[in-house]
Amino acid sequence: MRNIVAGNWKSNKLMVEARELMVAVSKGVSIDGLTDVILAPPAPFLSALVLEAPENKSISWAGQQCSGYEMGAYTGEFTASMLHSIGVRSVLIGHSERRDKFGESEEMVAMKVRSALDSGLTAILCCGENLGERESGGHFTRVMEQLTHALHGVSETEMADVVLAYEPIWAIGTGRTASADQAQEMHHAIREFIKENWGEMIAGNTRILYGGSCKPSNAGEIFAQPDVNGGLIGGAALSAADFLAIVDASDQSLREIQ
Ligand code: 13P
């Protein structure tokens, strides 16, 4: 199975800088690598970048979020189908920054997953506990709760279009990474959850990404874990050199098991 390394640019860059970053990443990603690279720039740049991007079959584009509603009178929203219509192939859903800073409830996250799948997008569903939940030992319960809500009603066939991203909130943008063991332990639990609900084959085929202060210096160790299938990268995705080094670390981790 191919890994995924996805760059979440969050709310960073102006158009000229976004274009420069896209060009540098496109040039650096090998077309015969073992990793699918996904770029999630800010929404205002998506359409132009998708059109301008040099042909590279290893790279595809993602939205950082989408509406849970279909088209209609929802000022400021954009639908999953709109993203699909401009050539975007996936969308991040339920990022902790959306949940915590913009009040996205479990119900809204589930609506967005439904919308993404109905529109033909891959849903990159984010989950993860906060520091209090980790320290009190409630982290597994919290993550499984999030997945239970968000994936309610998702069929076996649809699970082929679901990617999960475990992003412990205490590791996002803090420089504090989950240890490789902590990541593996949670990823394994997530895979078991998928197995219980959709069976062993789907569990084995679902890619589970790690996110949270992932950088060139720690990516190799994290990606070497058996249940980690790549990463969702924030800060380090804003530098082409760092991001490409993380893509290389992913390729390397797969070569070692081949
Ligand atoms: P950082 O890599 O900056 O910690 O962000 C991770 C993240 O939130 C990716 O979605």
Side-chain angles (χ1 to χ4, degrees), residues 76-113:
E77 290 286 89
F78 52 90
T79 66
S81 57
M82 290 173 191
L83 289 175
H84 191 270
S85 72
I86 60 165
V88 165
R89 288 295 162 254
S90 49
V91 61
L92 305 183
I93 296 177
H95 192 284
S96 59
E97 287 153 14
R98 302 285 328 159
R99 293 177 193 258
D100 295 348
K101 297 179 181 165
F102 300 97
E104 277 190 15
S105 63
E106 304 280 21
E107 190 194 354
M108 286 164 81
V109 170
M111 284 168 68
K112 289 171 187 230
V113 170

Side-chain angles (χ1 to χ4, degrees), residues 8 10 92 95 97 167 171-174 211-214 232-236:
N8 175 8
K10 305 192 178 182
L92 305 183
H95 192 284
E97 287 153 14
E167 300 206 301
I172 295 179
T174 57
S213 298
C214 191
L232 179 53
I233 319 300

Side-chain angles (χ1 to χ4, degrees), residues 230-242:
L232 179 53
I233 319 300
L238 299 176
S239 143
D242 285 354

